[in-house]
């Protein structure tokens, strides 16, 4: 019996969510968008994703209202992909999946998430709460720092830019500027 390509027989909100974000690469694209990656070539370079797959995933995420496509250059036309309200609502999912992976798969801490507003040196709790001030930290107030398990000498400009402490959602600027942005 062939494996189906959808969850049409499942009357379940988890199955419905997987129809939108359950394909390979999709949550990594969303994760990178939280990190500030917005441009086609930066997603391409950072993830090592095939071009056709990247184009299809970005198109699907835009069609489902997870990303909004915004023009940042007219000639030649170039767009960037910004998380929408629906995309931002995926932050607890991405955070929880990362914590699960840290504790059950990679067994290393590659990124540290802290509350930027109160300036604590403590990592956020499992539900995104600040251990110092007790609030659940909005994603835009999360400071991301490299952890001890992160490669200190990555081979691509996006990973190098992500070594610097930064707030989530701030647009990532790579040096040197990436070229060949498409889609």
């Amino acid at each position: 019996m062939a494996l189906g390509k959808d969850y049409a027989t499942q009357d379940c909100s988890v199955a419905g969510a997987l129809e939108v974000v359950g394909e390979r690469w999709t949550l990594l694209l969303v994760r990178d968008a939280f990190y500030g990656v917005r441009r086609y070539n930066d997603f391409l370079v950072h993830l090592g994703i095939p071009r056709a797959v990247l184009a299809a995933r970005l198109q699907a995420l835009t069609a489902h209202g997870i990303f909004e496509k915004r023009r940042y250059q007219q000639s030649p036309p170039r767009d960037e992909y910004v998380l929408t309200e629906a995309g931002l609502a995926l932050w607890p999912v991405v955070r929880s999946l990362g914590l699960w992976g840290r504790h059950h798969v990679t067994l290393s801490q590659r990124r540290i998430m802290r509350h930027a507003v109160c300036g604590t040196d403590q990592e956020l709790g499992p539900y995104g709460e600040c251990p110092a001030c007790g609030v659940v930290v909005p994603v835009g107030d999360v400071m991301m720092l490299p952890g001890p398990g992160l490669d200190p000498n990555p081979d691509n400009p996006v990973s190098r830019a992500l070594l610097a402490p930064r707030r989530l959602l701030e647009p990532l600027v790579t040096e040197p500027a990436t070229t060949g942005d498409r889609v």
Side-chain angles (χ1 to χ4, degrees):
M1 181 175 186
L3 181 62
K5 295 188 185 247
D6 62 25
Y7 305 102
T9 63
Q10 297 294 309
D11 185 18
C12 167
S13 58
V14 173
L18 287 173
E19 287 289 334
V20 177
V21 298
E23 290 184 323
R24 181 179 170 98
W25 298 110
T26 300
L27 282 177
L28 294 177
L29 286 164
V30 172
R31 177 210 60 193
D32 275 12
F34 281 114
Y35 290 177
V37 177
R38 292 181 169 194
R39 296 183 176 179
Y40 179 91
N41 199 57
D42 289 340
F43 285 117
L44 185 71
V45 167
H46 190 234
L47 295 173
I49 184 173
R51 286 182 183 274
V53 173
L54 176 58
R57 295 298 183 272
L58 289 172
Q59 183 177 30
L61 287 167
T62 302
H64 282 100
I66 305 298
F67 284 151
E68 176 185 346
K69 195 172 175 179
R70 292 185 189 162
R71 179 74 30 107
Y72 70 89
Q73 179 180 309
Q74 292 300 326
S75 182
R78 304 248 192 259
D79 298 308
E80 61 184 10
Y81 298 85
V82 180
L83 289 164
T84 63
E85 187 176 326
L88 292 171
L90 286 167
W91 170 241
V93 174
V94 172
R95 172 151 173 76
S96 293
L97 195 56
L99 288 175
W100 184 87
R102 177 195 303 176
H103 294 291
H104 300 286
V105 181
T106 64
L107 307 178
S108 68
Q109 184 175 25
R110 298 201 171 117
R111 305 218 184 263
I112 299 167
M113 305 295 176
R114 295 185 178 156
H115 189 192
V117 174
C118 79
T120 183
D121 62 354
Q122 299 176 62
E123 185 170 18
L124 298 180
Y127 302 104
E129 73 280 7
C130 176
C133 66
V135 303
V136 174
V137 179
V139 67
D141 291 341
V142 174
M143 178 64 70
M144 180 177 68
L145 301 100
L150 195 63
D151 179 0
N153 299 305
D155 63 354
N156 68 73
V158 175
S159 294
R160 285 192 295 275
L162 290 172
L163 287 174
R166 58 183 288 105
R167 276 191 188 215
L168 294 182
L169 301 177
E170 286 184 355
L172 185 71
V173 177
T174 57
E175 296 299 333
T178 57
T179 59
D181 289 355
R182 298 178 24 172
V183 177

